[in-house]
Amino acid sequence: MKLFLDTADISEITDLNRTGMVDGITTNPSLIAKSGRNIIQTIEEICAIVSGPVSAEVTATDYDGMMQEGRKLANISSNVTVKLPLTEDGLRACASLSADDIMVNVTLCFSAAQALLAAKAGASFISPFVGRLDDICSDGMNLISEIAEIYANYDFSTEILVASVRSVQDVVDAAIIGADVATIPPKILSQMFKHPLTDKGLADFMTDWKTTGQSIL
Ligand code: E4P
């Protein structure tokens, strides 16, 4: 399973990229706003750090505007994935950009029907938002199962990119289903390394090791 970081924060990306676990990055207009920085510069800098797909989202909502913005974002670097909203115009732009070999991540997916349409439009990635569904007492992870089944039925190559992840358990549940990617906030990636029994076991080993008086080097 690939792990993307869901952030536009350059220092967090630089830090966590050192772990070797970061396969790509997703951003959105809210994350760019949170960074307080220029979108073009930020995406350029991220692409210089991470070689995997870097999602950069258009802000136009009409087909022509999405095409113009999408091409501009795609020109920043060969690993830019243009992020388009799951609307009629968004899927039309998805088909056009995908036909030009530009990777597209279709975002704001909340139903299996929408995911089916995104795959038919040739999306490289579909981003179902599990956390936002859970927030309204729906079952986000059930949507991932439905999409996985539909895509397998028809051998669609669109990758399922689980978005709006709220916990380590979300990542585990998505992996059990077999989702291709989870995009996760930096804090959750850091939490994934940790277990209290690892900390305790390591402390015990170190205590016992000291009693031997040995040194490996
Ligand atoms: C990623 O592509 C999405 O934009 C992101 O995961 C949304 O997460 P949120 O629901 O926590 O804002």
Side-chain angles (χ1 to χ4, degrees), residues 169-215:
Q169 192 58 47
D170 281 344
V171 182
V172 172
D173 290 342
I176 290 169
I177 293 167
D180 302 284
V181 191
T183 188
I184 59 181
K187 195 174 116 192
I188 291 177
L189 179 56
S190 298
Q191 287 171 353
M192 286 176 71
F193 286 91
K194 299 192 187 306
H195 195 286
L197 290 180
T198 304
D199 295 341
K200 182 183 180 314
L202 185 58
D204 290 346
F205 284 156
M206 293 306 102
T207 302
D208 293 343
W209 178 247
K210 270 191 193 139
T211 67
T212 71
Q214 296 181 51
S215 161

Side-chain angles (χ1 to χ4, degrees), residues 122-215:
S124 299
F125 299 97
I126 181 69
S127 288
F129 279 34
V130 294
R132 293 193 195 186
L133 280 170
D134 292 345
D135 289 346
I136 59 160
C137 293
S138 191
D139 185 346
M141 218 42 78
N142 183 55
L143 174 59
I144 303 304
S145 298
E146 287 181 351
I147 298 171
E149 191 173 343
I150 291 168
Y151 282 10
N153 284 346
Y154 298 97
D155 217 12
F156 283 125
S157 58
T158 303
E159 293 189 45
I160 302 173
L161 196 171
V162 179
S164 190
V165 164
R166 303 273 196 259
S167 66
V168 171
Q169 192 58 47
D170 281 344
V171 182
V172 172
D173 290 342
I176 290 169
I177 293 167
D180 302 284
V181 191
T183 188
I184 59 181
K187 195 174 116 192
I188 291 177
L189 179 56
S190 298
Q191 287 171 353
M192 286 176 71
F193 286 91
K194 299 192 187 306
H195 195 286
L197 290 180
T198 304
D199 295 341
K200 182 183 180 314
L202 185 58
D204 290 346
F205 284 156
M206 293 306 102
T207 302
D208 293 343
W209 178 247
K210 270 191 193 139
T211 67
T212 71
Q214 296 181 51
S215 161

Side-chain angles (χ1 to χ4, degrees), residues 67-113:
M67 289 300 293
Q68 282 178 347
E69 290 185 4
R71 288 192 195 289
K72 179 168 180 179
L73 293 169
N75 274 337
I76 295 173
S77 174
S78 58
N79 57 327
V80 164
T81 302
V82 175
K83 212 169 174 196
L84 299 171
L86 209 155
T87 60
E88 282 190 34
D89 280 35
L91 291 191
R92 198 177 142 213
C94 172
S96 300
L97 292 173
S98 299
D100 286 349
D101 285 332
I102 293 172
M103 285 189 294
V104 173
N105 174 2
V106 175
T107 189
L108 291 168
C109 171
F110 293 96
S111 77

